[in-house]
Amino acid sequence: MSATTDASHSWPRPASPLPRERDFDPYGGDLDCQHAFEIFGGMNLDQAYLEFCDRPEIYQEDFMFMGPKAFVYYFPVIDRYLREVTSNDPRDDCEANILACAMNGQLDHDDVSGSSVVVSELHNLINFVLMEVARYSGSKKIRKQIHATWRQLADKLAQCAAPDG
C-alpha cells in the first residue's frame, strides 16, 4: 500500500484555529473521543495527514469517534488519503470500508450533515471512490464490499441532503 506524504498539499480549511479538546470530545469523558484528541489534537492538517499515513490501520477509527467539529476540520485528511492511496494486495482495503463507516456515523451529527462544505466534499469523494474502487484492493470480493459500503454512504448523504432529511 502506498500514499503520498508530501506535506505541500493545499487544504480547504483555515490554518487556525485548530479544533480544541472539547471539539474532539463534546460529551466530556468519552474515551474514544479523547483518543482521537491524543492522536490528532493540536495538529494542523499537514501534520495530521502525515500521522494518519504512518498508521492508517490504527488511526482509521479515530475519525468515527472524534466530535463533529473536529471531524469537519480533519475530513480533508480522509479525502486526500483516499485519493492518493493504492494497493494491489488482495487482503487489503486501504481502510476504505472503515473510513466510509466513520463518515456514515458522522452524518448523524448536524454539524457534519449541515455543513455545505463537508457535504459537497463528501459527495465528490464518494463519486471518486465509486469510480476508482479498484485502487483499494487486488481482491474482486473486497472491491465489491468497498463499493457496497460507499453506496450506503451515498444513500445516507442523499437522505441528509433531502429537504425532510
Side-chain angles (χ1 to χ4, degrees), residues 62-79:
D62 288 312
F63 291 98
M64 187 178 302
F65 298 113
M66 64 177 57
K69 288 182 181 179
F71 178 82
V72 166
Y73 184 84
Y74 287 105
F75 174 79
V77 170
I78 296 171
D79 188 285

Side-chain angles (χ1 to χ4, degrees), residues 59-66 71 78 95-109 112 149 153:
Y59 299 142
Q60 62 189 347
E61 289 185 4
D62 288 312
F63 291 98
M64 187 178 302
F65 298 113
M66 64 177 57
F71 178 82
I78 296 171
E95 292 67 53
N97 278 317
I98 293 294
L99 290 171
C101 291
M103 290 178 279
N104 194 321
Q106 287 288 351
L107 284 173
D108 291 336
H109 301 285
V112 176
T149 304
L153 180 59

Side-chain angles (χ1 to χ4, degrees), residues 125-136:
L125 182 58
I126 289 168
N127 289 337
F128 176 83
V129 171
L130 290 174
M131 295 293 291
E132 299 288 332
V133 71
R135 72 185 296 127
Y136 303 113

Side-chain angles (χ1 to χ4, degrees), residues 30-58:
D30 184 298
L31 295 178
D32 291 318
C33 295
Q34 290 174 8
H35 183 265
F37 179 72
E38 288 173 18
I39 301 304
F40 296 110
M43 290 186 177
N44 66 34
L45 291 169
D46 286 323
Q47 293 165 329
Y49 180 76
L50 292 173
E51 183 70 23
F52 181 74
C53 287
D54 188 45
R55 300 178 72 191
E57 70 283 357
I58 303 297

